[in-house]
Amino acid sequence: MPAHPLPTIWVLTDGKAGDEVQCLGVAERLGVVPEIRRVAPRAPFVWLMPRGPIDPREGPEREGSPIRPPFPDIVIASGRRAVAYLRAVKKASNGRSFTAILKDPRTGTGAADFIWVAEHDRLRGRNVLVTTTSPHRLAPEQLAQARAHPPAAIANLPSPRAAVIVGGDSRHHRFRPEDIARFAGLLDLLAQSGVALMGSRSRRTSAALDAAVTEVFARHKGWWWDGTGENPYIALLANADAIVTTADSTNMIGEATATGVPILVFEPHGGHGKLAKFLEALKRQGAVHHFEGHLAGARYEPLDSTAEIAEAVRQGWLRHRADLGLAEA
């Protein structure tokens, strides 16, 4: 990606990890270390978002405001609470800041100069880019580096290796006792077939789910991250011949597709129409398969929408600069 001109960028969210990671991923693909700005509106203003006004306490003229100037060239925002603040930045900067929203803002295509949505969302428009997978921070260079220098615990495992990425309860999914038992049983079958297990928990993994997976890994001499030190997430994905992941996070599944290895998805109780459409789209592309206790599928061309989204933002910003009569740096 061309390095010039290099914009200044804000990442604007309410601090939710999933939203912020997506924004950071796009900014980093633009070659920029962005400034992170987090909004924290109070009631009743938070109740009126995304359509209502920002909390006056966080207005751009207030000391300590998350949108205090000088304003950046580009603002990349995500989340319902950030939408109103993005409008405020656009107004306060006299339209100079190029605004981008990741995910449907719920206020229409006029919410920003550029909008990205996933394929399963309905929003469409001339300034809307649609991709199957979400943006993330898992760059190809990171995966290549992790493959070249795997941790000893991973390098010592025989092939084939399955990375087991475990989530937990979410808004649409619940791991009931029978789900935990079924998942552990399928992992047992996978290990019995000769596949080496390596994996990690997440912040949402319950104690019961963690204990069940730990027991399977111990029985088959797999490597289950014990939670100390840095999460080996990237190393696990990069050195896997297949990835087993739970269905509670579209971000987690989308990131896994950047590896180009088969993804075996376990679905606990629950579900959502958008998730079903997302999984079906990835199944059509040969990336995703139901986890049934054995390897399935073949390698495919890695799916990575982050570079496409970042380039669309860059091109939009360059057109915006031209419209403002600014010379290219």
Side-chain angles (χ1 to χ4, degrees), residues 225-264:
W225 179 53
D226 63 6
T228 61
E230 187 178 352
N231 192 322
Y233 179 66
I234 295 176
L236 290 169
L237 295 185
N239 292 280
D241 297 293
I243 296 168
V244 176
T245 183
T246 52
D248 46 279
S249 169
T250 57
N251 282 351
M252 203 158 61
I253 297 168
E255 285 179 349
T257 65
T259 65
V261 303
I263 302 163
L264 313 177

mmCIF file of all heavy atoms in Angstrom, residues 225-264:
data_model
loop_
_atom_site.group_PDB
_atom_site.id
_atom_site.type_symbol
_atom_site.label_atom_id
_atom_site.label_comp_id
_atom_site.label_asym_id
_atom_site.label_seq_id
_atom_site.Cartn_x
_atom_site.Cartn_y
_atom_site.Cartn_z
ATOM 1 N N TRP A 225 -2.937 -23.355 26.800
ATOM 2 C CA TRP A 225 -2.378 -22.178 27.451
ATOM 3 C C TRP A 225 -2.956 -22.029 28.852
ATOM 4 O O TRP A 225 -4.181 -22.046 29.033
ATOM 5 C CB TRP A 225 -2.682 -20.946 26.605
ATOM 6 C CG TRP A 225 -2.183 -19.665 27.180
ATOM 7 C CD1 TRP A 225 -0.921 -19.382 27.591
ATOM 8 C CD2 TRP A 225 -2.952 -18.475 27.400
ATOM 9 N NE1 TRP A 225 -0.840 -18.093 28.048
ATOM 10 C CE2 TRP A 225 -2.075 -17.514 27.948
ATOM 11 C CE3 TRP A 225 -4.286 -18.130 27.175
ATOM 12 C CZ2 TRP A 225 -2.503 -16.226 28.276
ATOM 13 C CZ3 TRP A 225 -4.709 -16.854 27.504
ATOM 14 C CH2 TRP A 225 -3.818 -15.916 28.052
ATOM 15 N N ASP A 226 -2.075 -21.862 29.831
ATOM 16 C CA ASP A 226 -2.522 -21.820 31.228
ATOM 17 C C ASP A 226 -2.936 -20.432 31.699
ATOM 18 O O ASP A 226 -3.268 -20.242 32.868
ATOM 19 C CB ASP A 226 -1.440 -22.387 32.151
ATOM 20 C CG ASP A 226 -0.149 -21.569 32.128
ATOM 21 O OD1 ASP A 226 -0.118 -20.494 31.480
ATOM 22 O OD2 ASP A 226 0.842 -22.001 32.748
ATOM 23 N N GLY A 227 -2.902 -19.453 30.795
ATOM 24 C CA GLY A 227 -3.353 -18.118 31.153
ATOM 25 C C GLY A 227 -2.252 -17.201 31.643
ATOM 26 O O GLY A 227 -2.497 -16.012 31.875
ATOM 27 N N THR A 228 -1.038 -17.720 31.801
ATOM 28 C CA THR A 228 0.070 -16.874 32.235
ATOM 29 C C THR A 228 0.843 -16.363 31.029
ATOM 30 O O THR A 228 0.927 -17.024 29.997
ATOM 31 C CB THR A 228 1.029 -17.652 33.160
ATOM 32 O OG1 THR A 228 1.578 -18.764 32.440
ATOM 33 C CG2 THR A 228 0.295 -18.167 34.383
ATOM 34 N N GLY A 229 1.400 -15.175 31.166
ATOM 35 C CA GLY A 229 2.154 -14.596 30.062
ATOM 36 C C GLY A 229 1.241 -14.129 28.943
ATOM 37 O O GLY A 229 0.017 -14.055 29.087
ATOM 38 N N GLU A 230 1.844 -13.832 27.814
ATOM 39 C CA GLU A 230 1.091 -13.320 26.672
ATOM 40 C C GLU A 230 0.280 -14.415 26.008
ATOM 41 O O GLU A 230 0.749 -15.549 25.841
ATOM 42 C CB GLU A 230 2.066 -12.708 25.661
ATOM 43 C CG GLU A 230 1.385 -11.998 24.499
ATOM 44 C CD GLU A 230 2.386 -11.366 23.555
ATOM 45 O OE1 GLU A 230 3.593 -11.351 23.897
ATOM 46 O OE2 GLU A 230 1.967 -10.897 22.493
ATOM 47 N N ASN A 231 -0.935 -14.097 25.621
ATOM 48 C CA ASN A 231 -1.788 -15.059 24.931
ATOM 49 C C ASN A 231 -1.127 -15.473 23.609
ATOM 50 O O ASN A 231 -0.785 -14.616 22.796
ATOM 51 C CB ASN A 231 -3.163 -14.428 24.657
ATOM 52 C CG ASN A 231 -4.189 -15.450 24.203
ATOM 53 O OD1 ASN A 231 -3.883 -16.372 23.446
ATOM 54 N ND2 ASN A 231 -5.416 -15.277 24.650
ATOM 55 N N PRO A 232 -0.948 -16.785 23.368
ATOM 56 C CA PRO A 232 -0.260 -17.252 22.155
ATOM 57 C C PRO A 232 -1.189 -17.335 20.949
ATOM 58 O O PRO A 232 -0.924 -18.103 20.011
ATOM 59 C CB PRO A 232 0.217 -18.643 22.570
ATOM 60 C CG PRO A 232 -0.870 -19.125 23.490
ATOM 61 C CD PRO A 232 -1.317 -17.899 24.262
ATOM 62 N N TYR A 233 -2.233 -16.563 20.935
ATOM 63 C CA TYR A 233 -3.296 -16.642 19.927
ATOM 64 C C TYR A 233 -2.745 -16.653 18.495
ATOM 65 O O TYR A 233 -3.073 -17.525 17.686
ATOM 66 C CB TYR A 233 -4.237 -15.458 20.140
ATOM 67 C CG TYR A 233 -5.382 -15.349 19.172
ATOM 68 C CD1 TYR A 233 -6.380 -16.302 19.147
ATOM 69 C CD2 TYR A 233 -5.476 -14.256 18.309
ATOM 70 C CE1 TYR A 233 -7.452 -16.182 18.271
ATOM 71 C CE2 TYR A 233 -6.532 -14.132 17.429
ATOM 72 C CZ TYR A 233 -7.525 -15.101 17.415
ATOM 73 O OH TYR A 233 -8.573 -14.987 16.542
ATOM 74 N N ILE A 234 -1.890 -15.688 18.160
ATOM 75 C CA ILE A 234 -1.376 -15.594 16.792
ATOM 76 C C ILE A 234 -0.518 -16.807 16.461
ATOM 77 O O ILE A 234 -0.627 -17.382 15.367
ATOM 78 C CB ILE A 234 -0.586 -14.286 16.588
ATOM 79 C CG1 ILE A 234 -1.515 -13.083 16.727
ATOM 80 C CG2 ILE A 234 0.099 -14.278 15.227
ATOM 81 C CD1 ILE A 234 -0.805 -11.743 16.628
ATOM 82 N N ALA A 235 0.324 -17.230 17.386
ATOM 83 C CA ALA A 235 1.169 -18.399 17.152
ATOM 84 C C ALA A 235 0.328 -19.652 16.937
ATOM 85 O O ALA A 235 0.664 -20.504 16.095
ATOM 86 C CB ALA A 235 2.118 -18.596 18.332
ATOM 87 N N LEU A 236 -0.767 -19.786 17.673
ATOM 88 C CA LEU A 236 -1.647 -20.938 17.509
ATOM 89 C C LEU A 236 -2.246 -20.960 16.109
ATOM 90 O O LEU A 236 -2.220 -21.990 15.422
ATOM 91 C CB LEU A 236 -2.752 -20.903 18.564
ATOM 92 C CG LEU A 236 -2.329 -21.166 20.010
ATOM 93 C CD1 LEU A 236 -3.460 -20.832 20.964
ATOM 94 C CD2 LEU A 236 -1.900 -22.618 20.185
ATOM 95 N N LEU A 237 -2.798 -19.830 15.689
ATOM 96 C CA LEU A 237 -3.419 -19.767 14.369
ATOM 97 C C LEU A 237 -2.390 -20.010 13.267
ATOM 98 O O LEU A 237 -2.651 -20.751 12.307
ATOM 99 C CB LEU A 237 -4.084 -18.407 14.160
ATOM 100 C CG LEU A 237 -5.268 -18.045 15.061
ATOM 101 C CD1 LEU A 237 -5.873 -16.720 14.610
ATOM 102 C CD2 LEU A 237 -6.337 -19.124 15.060
ATOM 103 N N ALA A 238 -1.232 -19.396 13.397
ATOM 104 C CA ALA A 238 -0.230 -19.449 12.336
ATOM 105 C C ALA A 238 0.343 -20.844 12.138
ATOM 106 O O ALA A 238 0.741 -21.198 11.018
ATOM 107 C CB ALA A 238 0.903 -18.475 12.643
ATOM 108 N N ASN A 239 0.381 -21.652 13.198
ATOM 109 C CA ASN A 239 1.027 -22.957 13.130
ATOM 110 C C ASN A 239 0.041 -24.121 13.119
ATOM 111 O O ASN A 239 0.411 -25.268 13.363
ATOM 112 C CB ASN A 239 2.001 -23.112 14.291
ATOM 113 C CG ASN A 239 3.195 -22.182 14.167
ATOM 114 O OD1 ASN A 239 4.132 -22.463 13.432
ATOM 115 N ND2 ASN A 239 3.152 -21.050 14.871
ATOM 116 N N ALA A 240 -1.209 -23.836 12.811
ATOM 117 C CA ALA A 240 -2.244 -24.864 12.808
ATOM 118 C C ALA A 240 -2.479 -25.428 11.408
ATOM 119 O O ALA A 240 -2.376 -24.710 10.411
ATOM 120 C CB ALA A 240 -3.548 -24.285 13.357
ATOM 121 N N ASP A 241 -2.810 -26.716 11.365
ATOM 122 C CA ASP A 241 -3.254 -27.345 10.122
ATOM 123 C C ASP A 241 -4.771 -27.273 10.004
ATOM 124 O O ASP A 241 -5.331 -27.474 8.921
ATOM 125 C CB ASP A 241 -2.795 -28.807 10.083
ATOM 126 C CG ASP A 241 -1.279 -28.917 10.084
ATOM 127 O OD1 ASP A 241 -0.654 -28.505 9.096
ATOM 128 O OD2 ASP A 241 -0.720 -29.382 11.103
ATOM 129 N N ALA A 242 -5.416 -27.020 11.118
ATOM 130 C CA ALA A 242 -6.866 -26.794 11.176
ATOM 131 C C ALA A 242 -7.141 -25.993 12.440
ATOM 132 O O ALA A 242 -6.332 -26.006 13.381
ATOM 133 C CB ALA A 242 -7.641 -28.105 11.189
ATOM 134 N N ILE A 243 -8.257 -25.289 12.452
ATOM 135 C CA ILE A 243 -8.618 -24.471 13.611
ATOM 136 C C ILE A 243 -10.013 -24.865 14.074
ATOM 137 O O ILE A 243 -10.965 -24.850 13.285
ATOM 138 C CB ILE A 243 -8.586 -22.965 13.266
ATOM 139 C CG1 ILE A 243 -7.157 -22.544 12.899
ATOM 140 C CG2 ILE A 243 -9.098 -22.135 14.444
ATOM 141 C CD1 ILE A 243 -7.067 -21.175 12.279
ATOM 142 N N VAL A 244 -10.114 -25.239 15.339
ATOM 143 C CA VAL A 244 -11.409 -25.514 15.961
ATOM 144 C C VAL A 244 -11.786 -24.276 16.754
ATOM 145 O O VAL A 244 -11.021 -23.820 17.612
ATOM 146 C CB VAL A 244 -11.334 -26.734 16.905
ATOM 147 C CG1 VAL A 244 -12.683 -26.945 17.610
ATOM 148 C CG2 VAL A 244 -10.942 -27.988 16.137
ATOM 149 N N THR A 245 -12.943 -23.726 16.476
ATOM 150 C CA THR A 245 -13.371 -22.526 17.194
ATOM 151 C C THR A 245 -14.844 -22.615 17.543
ATOM 152 O O THR A 245 -15.612 -23.305 16.862
ATOM 153 C CB THR A 245 -13.096 -21.257 16.361
ATOM 154 O OG1 THR A 245 -13.457 -20.097 17.117
ATOM 155 C CG2 THR A 245 -13.896 -21.259 15.077
ATOM 156 N N THR A 246 -15.236 -21.952 18.617
ATOM 157 C CA THR A 246 -16.633 -21.930 19.012
ATOM 158 C C THR A 246 -17.361 -20.811 18.264
ATOM 159 O O THR A 246 -16.744 -19.835 17.844
ATOM 160 C CB THR A 246 -16.766 -21.745 20.530
ATOM 161 O OG1 THR A 246 -16.003 -20.602 20.936
ATOM 162 C CG2 THR A 246 -16.214 -22.971 21.260
ATOM 163 N N ALA A 247 -18.662 -20.961 18.106
ATOM 164 C CA ALA A 247 -19.429 -20.094 17.206
ATOM 165 C C ALA A 247 -19.899 -18.801 17.835
ATOM 166 O O ALA A 247 -20.674 -18.067 17.218
ATOM 167 C CB ALA A 247 -20.647 -20.861 16.674
ATOM 168 N N ASP A 248 -19.438 -18.485 19.048
ATOM 169 C CA ASP A 248 -19.967 -17.326 19.769
ATOM 170 C C ASP A 248 -19.362 -16.007 19.339
ATOM 171 O O ASP A 248 -19.775 -14.965 19.824
ATOM 172 C CB ASP A 248 -19.761 -17.518 21.279
ATOM 173 C CG ASP A 248 -18.355 -18.000 21.602
ATOM 174 O OD1 ASP A 248 -18.110 -19.207 21.475
ATOM 175 O OD2 ASP A 248 -17.501 -17.166 21.957
ATOM 176 N N SER A 249 -18.361 -16.020 18.442
ATOM 177 C CA SER A 249 -17.722 -14.773 18.024
ATOM 178 C C SER A 249 -17.453 -14.784 16.530
ATOM 179 O O SER A 249 -16.627 -15.569 16.051
ATOM 180 C CB SER A 249 -16.408 -14.564 18.788
ATOM 181 O OG SER A 249 -15.661 -13.500 18.232
ATOM 182 N N THR A 250 -18.134 -13.897 15.790
ATOM 183 C CA THR A 250 -17.859 -13.795 14.359
ATOM 184 C C THR A 250 -16.455 -13.235 14.125
ATOM 185 O O THR A 250 -15.796 -13.595 13.150
ATOM 186 C CB THR A 250 -18.893 -12.895 13.656
ATOM 187 O OG1 THR A 250 -18.905 -11.603 14.278
ATOM 188 C CG2 THR A 250 -20.283 -13.501 13.732
ATOM 189 N N ASN A 251 -15.988 -12.372 15.024
ATOM 190 C CA ASN A 251 -14.630 -11.840 14.892
ATOM 191 C C ASN A 251 -13.597 -12.960 14.959
ATOM 192 O O ASN A 251 -12.644 -13.001 14.175
ATOM 193 C CB ASN A 251 -14.339 -10.814 15.996
ATOM 194 C CG ASN A 251 -14.975 -9.468 15.720
ATOM 195 O OD1 ASN A 251 -15.488 -9.222 14.645
ATOM 196 N ND2 ASN A 251 -14.952 -8.594 16.704
ATOM 197 N N MET A 252 -13.792 -13.878 15.905
ATOM 198 C CA MET A 252 -12.851 -14.970 16.100
ATOM 199 C C MET A 252 -12.810 -15.865 14.857
ATOM 200 O O MET A 252 -11.734 -16.262 14.391
ATOM 201 C CB MET A 252 -13.276 -15.778 17.330
ATOM 202 C CG MET A 252 -12.187 -16.580 17.990
ATOM 203 S SD MET A 252 -12.598 -16.942 19.726
ATOM 204 C CE MET A 252 -14.113 -17.895 19.578
ATOM 205 N N ILE A 253 -13.966 -16.164 14.313
ATOM 206 C CA ILE A 253 -14.035 -17.012 13.118
ATOM 207 C C ILE A 253 -13.455 -16.274 11.918
ATOM 208 O O ILE A 253 -12.698 -16.835 11.126
ATOM 209 C CB ILE A 253 -15.493 -17.431 12.847
ATOM 210 C CG1 ILE A 253 -16.025 -18.281 14.014
ATOM 211 C CG2 ILE A 253 -15.597 -18.209 11.538
ATOM 212 C CD1 ILE A 253 -17.515 -18.508 13.983
ATOM 213 N N GLY A 254 -13.805 -14.991 11.780
ATOM 214 C CA GLY A 254 -13.298 -14.213 10.655
ATOM 215 C C GLY A 254 -11.786 -14.094 10.668
ATOM 216 O O GLY A 254 -11.134 -14.200 9.625
ATOM 217 N N GLU A 255 -11.205 -13.876 11.854
ATOM 218 C CA GLU A 255 -9.749 -13.809 11.961
ATOM 219 C C GLU A 255 -9.111 -15.118 11.535
ATOM 220 O O GLU A 255 -8.073 -15.138 10.863
ATOM 221 C CB GLU A 255 -9.342 -13.471 13.395
ATOM 222 C CG GLU A 255 -9.553 -12.025 13.765
ATOM 223 C CD GLU A 255 -9.157 -11.721 15.195
ATOM 224 O OE1 GLU A 255 -8.916 -12.673 15.970
ATOM 225 O OE2 GLU A 255 -9.083 -10.534 15.533
ATOM 226 N N ALA A 256 -9.730 -16.231 11.916
ATOM 227 C CA ALA A 256 -9.167 -17.542 11.590
ATOM 228 C C ALA A 256 -9.091 -17.770 10.087
ATOM 229 O O ALA A 256 -8.194 -18.465 9.605
ATOM 230 C CB ALA A 256 -9.989 -18.642 12.260
ATOM 231 N N THR A 257 -9.998 -17.159 9.333
ATOM 232 C CA THR A 257 -9.977 -17.362 7.877
ATOM 233 C C THR A 257 -8.757 -16.719 7.223
ATOM 234 O O THR A 257 -8.434 -17.036 6.077
ATOM 235 C CB THR A 257 -11.249 -16.800 7.211
ATOM 236 O OG1 THR A 257 -11.292 -15.373 7.377
ATOM 237 C CG2 THR A 257 -12.503 -17.424 7.783
ATOM 238 N N ALA A 258 -8.072 -15.840 7.932
ATOM 239 C CA ALA A 258 -6.866 -15.206 7.385
ATOM 240 C C ALA A 258 -5.715 -16.200 7.263
ATOM 241 O O ALA A 258 -4.713 -15.907 6.610
ATOM 242 C CB ALA A 258 -6.443 -14.028 8.257
ATOM 243 N N THR A 259 -5.846 -17.382 7.881
ATOM 244 C CA THR A 259 -4.783 -18.379 7.829
ATOM 245 C C THR A 259 -4.856 -19.250 6.587
ATOM 246 O O THR A 259 -3.851 -19.830 6.174
ATOM 247 C CB THR A 259 -4.847 -19.301 9.057
ATOM 248 O OG1 THR A 259 -6.076 -20.055 9.016
ATOM 249 C CG2 THR A 259 -4.782 -18.492 10.345
ATOM 250 N N GLY A 260 -6.040 -19.412 6.023
ATOM 251 C CA GLY A 260 -6.196 -20.290 4.868
ATOM 252 C C GLY A 260 -6.320 -21.762 5.216
ATOM 253 O O GLY A 260 -6.318 -22.610 4.315
ATOM 254 N N VAL A 261 -6.444 -22.101 6.500
ATOM 255 C CA VAL A 261 -6.618 -23.503 6.885
ATOM 256 C C VAL A 261 -8.086 -23.742 7.246
ATOM 257 O O VAL A 261 -8.811 -22.802 7.599
ATOM 258 C CB VAL A 261 -5.698 -23.905 8.060
ATOM 259 C CG1 VAL A 261 -4.239 -23.633 7.715
ATOM 260 C CG2 VAL A 261 -6.093 -23.199 9.348
ATOM 261 N N PRO A 262 -8.544 -25.008 7.160
ATOM 262 C CA PRO A 262 -9.954 -25.288 7.469
ATOM 263 C C PRO A 262 -10.330 -24.884 8.890
ATOM 264 O O PRO A 262 -9.554 -25.077 9.831
ATOM 265 C CB PRO A 262 -10.053 -26.806 7.290
ATOM 266 C CG PRO A 262 -8.918 -27.172 6.396
ATOM 267 C CD PRO A 262 -7.816 -26.209 6.729
ATOM 268 N N ILE A 263 -11.527 -24.333 9.032
ATOM 269 C CA ILE A 263 -12.046 -23.910 10.333
ATOM 270 C C ILE A 263 -13.222 -24.806 10.687
ATOM 271 O O ILE A 263 -14.194 -24.906 9.922
ATOM 272 C CB ILE A 263 -12.491 -22.443 10.304
ATOM 273 C CG1 ILE A 263 -11.304 -21.561 9.903
ATOM 274 C CG2 ILE A 263 -13.026 -22.014 11.657
ATOM 275 C CD1 ILE A 263 -11.699 -20.198 9.462
ATOM 276 N N LEU A 264 -13.126 -25.459 11.827
ATOM 277 C CA LEU A 264 -14.154 -26.380 12.301
ATOM 278 C C LEU A 264 -14.912 -25.690 13.425
ATOM 279 O O LEU A 264 -14.337 -25.401 14.478
ATOM 280 C CB LEU A 264 -13.518 -27.681 12.784
ATOM 281 C CG LEU A 264 -12.463 -28.288 11.845
ATOM 282 C CD1 LEU A 264 -11.840 -29.533 12.459
ATOM 283 C CD2 LEU A 264 -13.078 -28.590 10.487
#
